[in-house]
Amino acid sequence: MRFAFIAKHRGIWPIAWICEALGVSRSGFRAWLVRAPSARSRSDADLAAKVRASFISSYPTYEARRV
């Protein structure tokens, strides 16, 4: 979560400042940028796509609990 925040705001503030404020290393952030997505995040993305497809195919009549 911290690295995502840094990636989102790196155009506003220098990376070194944000990393220091959040207590993370710059090298850790750089490694996070080039690392491939984990199996869990890929699985979550696949599930989110299936839920979205189910919602759209139901002509948005189903609520969140029913999907």
Side-chain angles (χ1 to χ4, degrees), residues 38-59:
S38 67
R40 173 68 185 259
S41 63
R42 288 191 310 264
S43 172
D44 288 350
D46 291 342
L47 181 61
K50 289 177 183 176
V51 168
R52 193 174 300 112
S54 173
F55 178 72
I56 291 171
S57 69
S58 72
Y59 301 105

Side-chain angles (χ1 to χ4, degrees), residues 5-57:
F5 178 84
I6 295 169
K8 183 177 179 181
H9 294 93
R10 66 182 169 175
I12 300 171
W13 298 297
I15 293 172
W17 289 4
I18 303 172
C19 288
E20 185 178 340
L22 296 177
V24 297
S25 66
R26 287 180 290 163
S27 61
F29 172 68
R30 299 284 184 202
W32 176 83
L33 283 176
V34 298
R35 189 178 313 141
S38 67
R40 173 68 185 259
S41 63
R42 288 191 310 264
S43 172
D44 288 350
D46 291 342
L47 181 61
K50 289 177 183 176
V51 168
R52 193 174 300 112
S54 173
F55 178 72
I56 291 171
S57 69

Side-chain angles (χ1 to χ4, degrees), residues 56-67:
I56 291 171
S57 69
S58 72
Y59 301 105
T61 56
Y62 284 149
E63 299 172 3
R65 288 185 227 159
R66 293 180 70 187
V67 170

